[in-house]
Amino acid sequence: RLIVAQQCAYMEQGTFYPGNQSIMEILSGLTEGPAPDDSRFWLDTVSHCFPEPRLALTLYHLMETARLDALLRNDLPGLMRDTDIVRQRLLELRPRPLPEEERNQVLEAMRQWILNRKPQLPLTVGAQKCFEHSRRELEEAGRPGRTVADSIKATFRLYPFLEDLSGTAIGEPLLYEGHMDTAALKGALDARREESRKIFIETMAAILAKTSREKEETDPEDAREERASPSLNAEPLTATPIIPGRPRDREERRKVGETRTFIQLGENRFELPEEMKALVKEITRDLGEIPDEYVSSALEMAGRSGGSFEAPAENGGEPLSGECVYNEWDFRRQGFRKSWCRLIEKNLDPVGGTFVADTLQKYRGVISQLRRQFELMRTQDRFLKRQKDGDDVDLDSLVEALSDMRAGLEPSDRLFTRLVRDERSIAAAFLVDMSASTEGWISTALKESLVLMCEALDVLGDRYSINGFSGMRRTRSELYRIKAMDERYGETVKGRIAAVSAKDYTRMGPPIRHLTSLLQNAEARVRLLITLSDGKPEDYDDYKGRYAVEDTRHALIEAKAAGVHPFCITIDQNAQDYISHMYGEVNYIFIDDVRKLPVRIPEIYRTLTT
């Protein structure tokens, strides 16, 4: 826990990037002679201002560790108290530098000071004098409001004292510090920055494309004029970071964290969904702002870069028109094929037989257990903290108030917690793969899963729909309505579940986009789109391989931008090759045995909605 907290603090508080202030601005006035080489990675630029870059980097790392140690003690006092015994053990295990290694003595004394403020090793006269300067810098580093720039300046002040000491060793870092490898760090930051750029552009393009379609529907004349206008301007996005500080600043920090983030295009202002706000915060923390190139690329991808975007027509057909017509994402062009796929929504005719009755008999014990579990989920209990009155004392608020009183500050009167009981507000759409590859026992397991799911949800009372999908080519994507959102689970629905059977191919983009539009209009706080599939997207035409995966991924990004949370349950043995790229690292689950499906699916739904 100590290691994770420290490493998260490094990332969250900017140890690995200078943030809003450029490194050349920070170094201005600190260096003499030629200007630093700003073509390097910024940490290399700083360390190569010194004759011994490794020593300078070690000093900077120690200053940052001291700064964030104080921040963690302030913000996570319980965790830090819990780790005192670990710190004491680490102190006992620290090495003892040789007398002739004065430089190493000072660095080791600094590390021990960070551990418990009481270094336990003998120092030579020269090392002791240098450590006094170092201790003052460590104390200053822990004061509220200190930043990366302050740690860099402290490095410049300390370096001359250590440079004159004997020895070249710099010792081992603290266990939870780790080694700072600037080459590996640069590679990781570049990869994350590129991924953030790509996700931002794709998500923003989906938002802009959706907004453009809505504007066309409400005011087509204005929309055409806007598309034709070459003067469409995009103001850079901004997000205010949370600034560390004393306990009395926490309320202000919470308010800052709730700042509404938006993009302004011309006279139109669009508020961003929660997923985008977190991404904007990360990018602005890294680069200081959202680069204009990010916004312009999103505009271009959405087809709003000064003219209407029309993808070249493919041989074999003109763009389609109709009430259920959807775009398709072509990653090769980095744009949409406009009005490319036609989706036909059908009711699945119910069939008779004993399938549902046999399933209920086969899983009667499991169904009873699921019913009991889901009955307990009918309402959600939630504790509100920091209330003026309530059911119990909020210990965190009480400790903060006592600390403020002893510090001479006005304490907060919000010292209670209150239990509130919320009615569930969930709308879920299940999208079931009915492609030819599900024929046989996979199809049977899927149908059994739907029966158990319906039996459990019938007790819970959540609104949900069940839809099968299949089709062939872009002109015939079929969505089979098994249960509508507000339809009662009865004999008709049971007959439709029994009628589920393998059909054609797996073009996933159109049904995902269609259900996203339906869920968007559902009145619910939580909107889920849960896909049950045995394999990757594929169709009879060129909807294969990376093209199909990228279109499905873009449809899922559009769903997230619309406030819908997609999740996938797959039984494909090779799903690891593509599923995380489509859904993200935590938005899918792989079930290795199809026979486990009926029991696992209700468990997964319970986890997603609790």
Side-chain angles (χ1 to χ4, degrees), residues 318-321 325-328 337-341 474:
E318 294 297 320
L320 295 165
S321 62
V325 176
Y326 292 97
N327 299 337
E328 187 167 276
R337 294 177 184 266
K338 291 299 184 70
S339 302
W340 196 248
C341 296
R474 67 185 182 94

Side-chain angles (χ1 to χ4, degrees), residues 242-399:
I242 296 178
I243 310 237
R246 291 170 290 183
R248 66 177 178 178
D249 300 324
R250 286 179 182 153
E251 192 63 35
E252 290 184 14
R253 287 159 54 192
R254 277 191 292 274
K255 291 178 182 177
V256 170
E258 295 169 0
T259 299
R260 302 178 77 181
T261 309
F262 61 90
I263 181 173
Q264 184 155 337
L265 300 173
E267 297 180 356
N268 298 319
R269 176 178 293 190
F270 310 105
E271 187 176 358
L272 299 180
E274 290 302 321
E275 297 84 354
M276 280 291 289
K277 291 177 183 177
L279 182 62
V280 165
K281 179 182 175 183
E282 178 184 333
I283 295 173
T284 52
R285 189 179 60 204
D286 184 11
L287 302 178
E289 64 176 8
I290 300 294
D292 292 341
E293 181 267 331
Y294 285 24
V295 179
S296 60
S297 296
L299 285 167
E300 183 176 356
M301 184 178 292
R304 298 183 56 188
S305 56
S308 62
F309 174 80
E310 292 294 343
E314 184 183 76
N315 292 334
E318 294 297 320
L320 295 165
S321 62
E323 60 181 2
C324 290
V325 176
Y326 292 97
N327 299 337
E328 187 167 276
W329 177 252
D330 187 344
F331 78 95
R332 298 165 299 196
R333 299 183 175 119
Q334 286 295 292
F336 286 103
R337 294 177 184 266
K338 291 299 184 70
S339 302
W340 196 248
C341 296
R342 179 167 175 254
L343 182 135
I344 306 167
E345 191 171 353
K346 297 181 176 181
N347 269 329
L348 197 60
D349 293 330
V351 299
T354 62
F355 175 80
V356 174
D358 292 344
T359 301
L360 295 176
Q361 179 63 25
K362 178 180 177 181
Y363 294 99
R364 61 185 184 278
V366 174
I367 291 173
S368 297
Q369 181 180 0
L370 287 174
R371 284 176 175 270
R372 287 194 299 271
Q373 292 172 344
F374 276 59
E375 281 176 353
L376 298 176
M377 295 166 55
R378 283 179 177 170
T379 57
Q380 295 177 325
D381 292 342
R382 181 163 56 97
F383 279 99
L384 297 179
K385 304 184 72 174
R386 302 180 185 279
Q387 302 298 304
K388 288 187 176 181
D389 55 71
D391 308 307
D392 204 349
V393 175
D394 185 345
L395 292 179
D396 290 337
S397 300
L398 181 61
V399 170

Side-chain angles (χ1 to χ4, degrees), residues 120-163:
Q120 299 177 2
L121 77 162
L123 300 174
T124 64
V125 175
Q128 181 65 42
K129 182 179 179 181
C130 181
F131 175 67
E132 289 303 317
H133 291 283
S134 303
R135 183 177 56 78
R136 286 194 292 270
E137 293 291 353
L138 291 171
E139 290 173 347
E140 284 295 319
R143 295 188 184 279
R146 293 301 186 266
T147 65
V148 166
D150 295 306
S151 296
I152 293 174
K153 293 172 184 176
T155 300
F156 274 86
R157 291 192 292 268
L158 277 180
Y159 183 89
F161 292 102
L162 277 89
E163 187 180 30

Side-chain angles (χ1 to χ4, degrees), residues 67-103:
R67 177 173 77 92
L68 300 179
D69 179 83
L71 181 67
L72 290 172
R73 288 179 183 276
N74 184 57
D75 282 6
L76 303 174
L79 170 65
M80 301 308 281
R81 281 196 301 272
D82 289 347
T83 60
D84 282 344
I85 188 171
V86 179
R87 290 167 173 271
Q88 183 59 37
R89 182 62 177 150
L90 290 176
L91 183 65
E92 295 168 1
L93 296 173
R94 292 300 301 172
R96 295 294 185 264
L98 298 173
E100 60 270 20
E101 292 283 350
E102 290 183 318
R103 178 182 296 179

